[in-house]
Amino acid sequence: MLKLYHHPFSTTSRFVRLMLAEHDAKVELIVEKSWERRPEFLELNPAGSVPVLVENDGPPIVGAGPIMEYVDETRGYALGDRRLMPNHPEARAEMRRLVDWFLHKTHDEAVHYFQHEKIMKLELPRELGGGSPDNQVLRVARVNIKHHLHYVGWLAGSRNWLSGEQLTFADLAAAAELSVVDYVGDVPWDEDLNAKYWYARIKSRPTFRTLLADRLPGLPAAPIYTDLDF
Amino acid sequence: MLKLYHHPFSTTSRFVRLMLAEHDAKVELIVEKSWERRPEFLELNPAGSVPVLVENDGPPIVGAGPIMEYVDETRGYALGDRRLMPNHPEARAEMRRLVDWFLHKTHDEAVHYFQHEKIMKLELPRELGGGSPDNQVLRVARVNIKHHLHYVGWLAGSRNWLSGEQLTFADLAAAAELSVVDYVGDVPWDEDLNAKYWYARIKSRPTFRTLLADRLPGLPAAPIYTDLDF
């Protein structure tokens, strides 16, 4: 049995939920408010961050990258042709580069700002930085997200999926990042049709449904969020 | 033939140099001043960062994490008992967690400050932030490095190497990070003897010699840097 300590609006947690769904892996989801720094959770992960995966009573598998490799190592083979990890070391390297790009660069330069200003600040207590969004930060984020969307569009336009001919973890990482910005309606999809059509394909997968059901008290999803024909 | 685009004082580049040495892999080193944003280099890695590894005329292998997996996938088996990647998925996950911890958390919270203030500011042109070190930043860094050193000491005290009984990539990642701070003499080794003895063991390995030969024009290494009995 798998248990995932996560947060519904943590992009790396969403990445893990998507990959578990693609592997048909049943998982018990436990919402962890990492800013509360629960001692029992810090024992699982001294960094205090989600996602953390626990299989049966095994040791914690900590962080999106290690979880991706673990899920592939323990379940990838069973997917056969649909394995999310390419076979060749060079193709794996390109896929891992893109996963890092989306989870770190796209996240830090664009997604993080929307996530923090529009979503987390609603949930965080005031003494930890909760409050209303800073519009100046959001203006920067709206410029930056365009560059990252165009990079997705460029990849989607030159390959079938982002990392090559097949769906891989890289597509899930990019989709997980963008999905949080899509919840607040801030992905400028019409700026890049290649990116939009790629996202429409991945959003239509049954495995994506779990994300589309997430709701944040006090912040309804943008109408586009669940629309498969956006 | 392997080519590595690196910088001598980039911690992730040092991590890659150590792992290549442990695999007896011959490599041509090319110093890349990533802040110059050379168009030919940006074609290899649109993120503009080192390290980037190229094997023969193959595609670029970008970033420390993807390079670690690539080197293990293409050369790990040949190391036999000395393989730097554990065999079991759970042990691999723990090792990858530690690699992420050192390259991201230890780096961002402590090493980065020393590296930027004391080393990179000497090399960067003034319009890109070059100049003299900010002592207030260094004061924060000196507090933070102690916490990270104690974590290394705690791991080294409870296991033979940082991630378990055998030397793994996690030891190389931690050593690469600390080695840059050691160059400027700012690792408070006497604060944690377990960490110190662990570092003395790894520093004495023949594969470490390449790092000990690095010199920065205008900033001599601290006397401790090359001393194996520090």
Side-chain angles (χ1 to χ4, degrees):
Chain A
M1 179 64 189
L2 290 169
K3 264 193 289 195
L4 180 69
Y5 296 83
H6 82 125
H7 187 280
F9 291 91
S10 138
T11 54
T12 46
S13 299
R14 287 183 159 222
F15 174 43
V16 173
R17 286 161 66 201
L18 285 176
M19 72 176 78
L20 291 175
E22 290 287 344
H23 287 81
D24 278 323
K26 261 183 104 161
V27 61
E28 178 190 347
L29 295 174
I30 299 158
V31 174
E32 184 66 36
K33 298 184 172 182
S34 49
W35 57 91
E36 294 178 349
R37 300 187 65 75
R38 233 170 24 95
E40 297 83 353
F41 184 65
L42 289 173
E43 265 181 47
L44 289 179
N45 179 14
S49 52
V50 289
V52 174
L53 185 71
V54 177
E55 174 132 41
N56 301 319
D57 292 316
I61 315 295
V62 173
I67 293 174
M68 169 181 92
E69 303 289 345
Y70 177 85
V71 168
D72 181 68
E73 286 168 1
T74 55
R75 290 158 169 81
Y77 188 78
L79 287 191
D81 280 357
R82 296 186 302 117
R83 190 168 184 172
L84 297 175
M85 174 75 76
N87 285 322
H88 194 284
E90 285 173 357
R92 290 173 175 234
E94 170 64 356
M95 192 214 71
R96 289 179 177 123
R97 173 184 80 83
L98 288 173
V99 169
D100 281 355
W101 175 283
F102 297 126
L103 299 187
H104 294 291
K105 209 163 165 72
T106 305
H107 185 82
D108 294 352
E109 293 177 0
V111 176
H112 169 74
Y113 298 121
F114 294 107
Q115 180 196 41
H116 187 72
E117 296 299 325
K118 287 197 150 183
I119 297 178
M120 297 317 291
K121 274 178 151 183
L122 280 178
E123 201 170 353
L124 283 175
R126 193 160 280 274
E127 65 274 17
L128 292 176
S132 27
D134 181 331
N135 282 317
Q136 218 156 341
V137 171
L138 290 173
R139 261 196 297 277
V140 173
R142 288 197 182 100
V143 172
N144 291 358
I145 189 112
K146 284 190 199 171
H147 297 297
H148 283 280
L149 192 68
H150 285 314
Y151 190 53
V152 168
W154 178 79
L155 292 167
S158 42
R159 305 162 169 183
N160 188 27
W161 290 96
L162 298 189
S163 175
E165 287 313 298
Q166 287 207 267
L167 180 84
T168 68
F169 288 105
D171 297 280
L172 307 187
E177 289 291 336
L178 289 172
S179 72
V180 166
V181 186
D182 203 38
Y183 185 90
V184 292
D186 271 309
V187 183
W189 292 115
D190 291 335
E191 295 268 337
D192 199 303
L193 293 182
N194 283 330
K196 182 175 176 169
Y197 297 147
W198 161 82
Y199 192 69
R201 281 195 287 154
I202 203 160
K203 192 173 174 177
S204 309
R205 295 177 75 81
T207 51
F208 216 82
R209 276 184 215 143
T210 162
L211 303 192
L212 299 183
D214 283 334
R215 286 298 174 277
L216 191 73
L219 186 71
I224 199 177
Y225 184 63
T226 49
D227 183 359
L228 297 181
D229 288 317
F230 58 102
Chain B
M1 180 65 189
L2 290 169
K3 264 193 289 194
L4 180 69
Y5 295 84
H6 83 125
H7 187 280
F9 291 90
S10 138
T11 53
T12 46
S13 299
R14 287 183 159 220
F15 173 43
V16 173
R17 286 161 66 201
L18 286 176
M19 74 176 75
L20 292 174
E22 290 287 343
H23 288 81
D24 278 322
K26 261 183 105 162
V27 60
E28 179 191 347
L29 295 174
I30 299 159
V31 174
E32 184 67 36
K33 298 184 172 183
S34 49
W35 57 90
E36 293 178 349
R37 301 189 63 76
R38 238 175 13 101
E40 298 83 354
F41 184 65
L42 290 173
E43 265 179 47
L44 289 179
N45 179 14
S49 52
V50 289
V52 174
L53 185 71
V54 177
E55 174 130 40
N56 302 319
D57 292 317
I61 316 295
V62 173
I67 292 174
M68 169 181 92
E69 302 290 346
Y70 177 85
V71 167
D72 180 69
E73 285 169 1
T74 55
R75 290 158 169 83
Y77 188 77
L79 287 190
D81 279 357
R82 296 186 302 117
R83 190 168 184 172
L84 298 175
M85 175 75 76
N87 284 322
H88 194 285
E90 285 174 356
R92 289 173 177 235
E94 170 64 355
M95 193 213 69
R96 289 180 177 121
R97 174 184 79 84
L98 288 172
V99 169
D100 281 354
W101 175 281
F102 296 126
L103 299 187
H104 295 291
K105 209 163 164 73
T106 305
H107 186 83
D108 294 352
E109 293 178 359
V111 177
H112 169 74
Y113 298 122
F114 294 106
Q115 181 195 40
H116 186 73
E117 296 299 326
K118 287 197 151 184
I119 298 178
M120 297 316 291
K121 275 179 152 183
L122 281 178
E123 202 171 351
L124 284 174
R126 192 159 279 277
E127 66 273 19
L128 291 177
S132 28
D134 181 331
N135 283 317
Q136 218 158 342
V137 171
L138 289 174
R139 261 196 296 278
V140 173
R142 289 197 181 100
V143 172
N144 291 359
I145 190 110
K146 284 190 199 171
H147 297 298
H148 284 279
L149 192 67
H150 285 314
Y151 189 54
V152 168
W154 179 78
L155 293 167
S158 43
R159 305 161 171 186
N160 189 27
W161 292 96
L162 298 188
S163 176
E165 287 313 298
Q166 286 207 268
L167 181 84
T168 67
F169 288 104
D171 297 279
L172 307 187
E177 289 291 336
L178 289 172
S179 72
V180 166
V181 186
D182 203 38
Y183 185 89
V184 292
D186 272 309
V187 183
W189 292 116
D190 291 334
E191 296 268 337
D192 200 302
L193 293 182
N194 283 329
K196 182 175 177 169
Y197 296 148
W198 161 82
Y199 192 69
R201 279 195 287 155
I202 203 161
K203 193 174 176 179
S204 309
R205 296 176 74 80
T207 50
F208 217 81
R209 277 185 213 141
T210 164
L211 302 193
L212 300 183
D214 284 333
R215 286 296 174 279
L216 192 72
L219 186 71
I224 199 176
Y225 184 63
T226 49
D227 183 359
L228 297 182
D229 288 317
F230 58 102

